[in-house]
């Protein structure tokens, strides 16, 4: 399997924290340090983040869903340029519709994003079924608690036919693959598309890279609208299309 952007070099990091505060909400852990090393030492161009506070799974307070926390602020600042220059970040929008415990907030499946998917600047990605572009039964719905449209876009994160998921590399060996579902799968799809856009951008406009906001606009305005007409809280701006984004 070649993946979305087989020519990229991957530099991977594991999130670590000291156990204080709320995981990925009030506790930013070492994320900023990891980003800083990736950018400064390895020349990273964009980051995929398949990680969430998983409020339903971890039993955190339901009121945290949709909230803008400390780590969301850190991530927004990194996109803006807090580590020396603007940076491009793609983030999984979360799988919080798996559970029903937090539906007691009164909005059902909506407002179900788990921080830090509530950050403002990254490209937030929901999950679709790859066989028919329908929204999966787990992909978190927006809006954020302050009313912002989330997710930004959606991409394949599962499948309702065939093997029932997306094929991805696994950690058991250098050649192992598995079938998985989640916005943790759809976010790398968009990261791969973003890498292809960067490649084409550099071929056309040597000497400069697009900001994250430009990537977000290219993906949003070239996506195929799904669900309700126009942007909505389930699909965002729709299902991403790599070729259409480059053409746009």
């Amino acid at each position: 399997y070649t993946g979305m952007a087989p020519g990229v070099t991957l530099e991977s990091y594991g999130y670590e924290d000291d156990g204080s505060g709320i995981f990925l909400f009030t506790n930013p852990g070492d994320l900023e340090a990891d980003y800083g090393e990736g950018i400064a030492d390895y020349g990273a161009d964009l980051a995929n983040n398949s990680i969430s506070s998983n409020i339903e799974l971890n039993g955190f307070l339901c009121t945290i869903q949709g909230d803008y926390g400390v780590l969301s602020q850190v991530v927004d600042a990194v996109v803006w340029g807090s580590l020396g220059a603007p940076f491009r970040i793609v983030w999984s929008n979360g799988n919080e519709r798996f559970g029903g415990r937090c539906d007691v907030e009164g909005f059902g499946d909506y407002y179900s994003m788990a921080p830090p998917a509530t950050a403002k600047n990254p490209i937030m990605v929901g999950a679709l079924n790859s066989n028919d572009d329908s929204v999966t039964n787990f992909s978190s719905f927006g809006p954020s608690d302050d009313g912002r449209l989330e997710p930004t876009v959606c991409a394949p994160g599962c499948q309702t036919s065939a093997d029932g998921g997306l094929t991805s590399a696994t950690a058991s060996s250098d050649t192992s693959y598995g079938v998985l579902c989640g916005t943790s799968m759809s976010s790398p799809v968009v990261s791969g598309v973003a890498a292809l856009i960067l490649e084409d951008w550099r071929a056309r406009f040597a000497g400069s890279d697009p900001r994250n906001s430009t990537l977000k606009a290219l993906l949003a305005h070239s996506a195929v609208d799904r669900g309700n007409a126009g942007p909505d809280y389930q699909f965002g701006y729709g299902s991403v299309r790599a070729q259409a984004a480059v053409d746009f």
Side-chain angles (χ1 to χ4, degrees):
Y1 303 97
T2 56
M4 296 300 298
V8 303
T9 298
L10 298 177
E11 182 68 23
S12 298
Y13 289 86
Y15 175 83
E16 298 175 2
D17 66 49
D18 59 7
S20 64
I22 299 174
F23 174 68
L24 291 173
F25 184 58
T26 57
N27 187 336
D30 67 340
L31 184 135
E32 193 172 27
D34 287 348
Y35 274 139
E37 182 179 299
I39 295 168
D41 294 354
Y42 296 99
D45 295 306
L46 68 94
N48 172 72
N49 300 265
S50 292
I51 186 170
S52 170
S53 53
N54 294 320
I55 292 167
E56 286 270 5
L57 180 65
N58 288 322
F60 296 151
L61 290 173
C62 291
T63 53
I64 296 170
Q65 280 193 346
D67 280 1
Y68 185 77
V70 173
L71 184 53
S72 296
Q73 297 176 49
V74 171
V75 172
D76 278 343
V78 172
V79 174
W80 188 251
S82 65
L83 297 179
F87 193 60
R88 289 154 290 275
I89 295 179
V90 183
W91 209 288
S92 58
N93 207 53
N95 311 317
E96 293 296 279
R97 281 171 48 245
F98 261 139
R101 180 177 63 87
C102 289
D103 287 353
V104 296
E105 283 192 279
F107 300 103
D109 286 338
Y110 292 90
Y111 293 91
S112 58
M113 296 157 48
T118 47
K120 302 174 183 179
N121 293 339
I123 299 165
M124 299 302 179
V125 184
L128 305 179
N129 292 303
S130 62
N131 54 301
D132 61 6
D133 253 7
S134 63
V135 69
T136 64
N137 63 359
F138 53 80
S139 185
S140 292
F141 290 166
S144 60
D145 277 4
D146 57 7
R148 285 177 287 112
L149 177 74
E150 301 289 359
T152 310
V153 290
C154 287
C158 200
Q159 189 176 10
T160 58
S161 62
D163 59 11
L166 266 66
T167 300
S168 177
T170 62
S172 58
S173 79
D174 290 344
T175 58
S176 63
Y177 289 89
V179 177
L180 300 167
C181 286
T183 56
S184 288
M185 311 304 292
S186 58
S187 180
V189 169
V190 172
S191 294
V193 171
L196 298 177
I197 294 172
L198 275 173
E199 180 182 30
D200 193 79
W201 182 286
R202 290 172 177 177
R204 295 169 185 262
F205 314 112
S208 66
D209 284 341
R211 289 190 178 224
N212 200 69
S213 54
T214 304
L215 275 180
K216 184 184 290 190
L218 291 172
L219 291 165
H221 290 290
S222 59
V224 174
D225 190 26
R226 296 291 186 229
N228 299 317
D232 60 56
Y233 298 134
Q234 298 184 21
F235 295 85
Y237 282 85
S239 179
V240 296
R241 294 293 185 271
Q243 185 65 58
V246 169
D247 291 344
F248 180 62

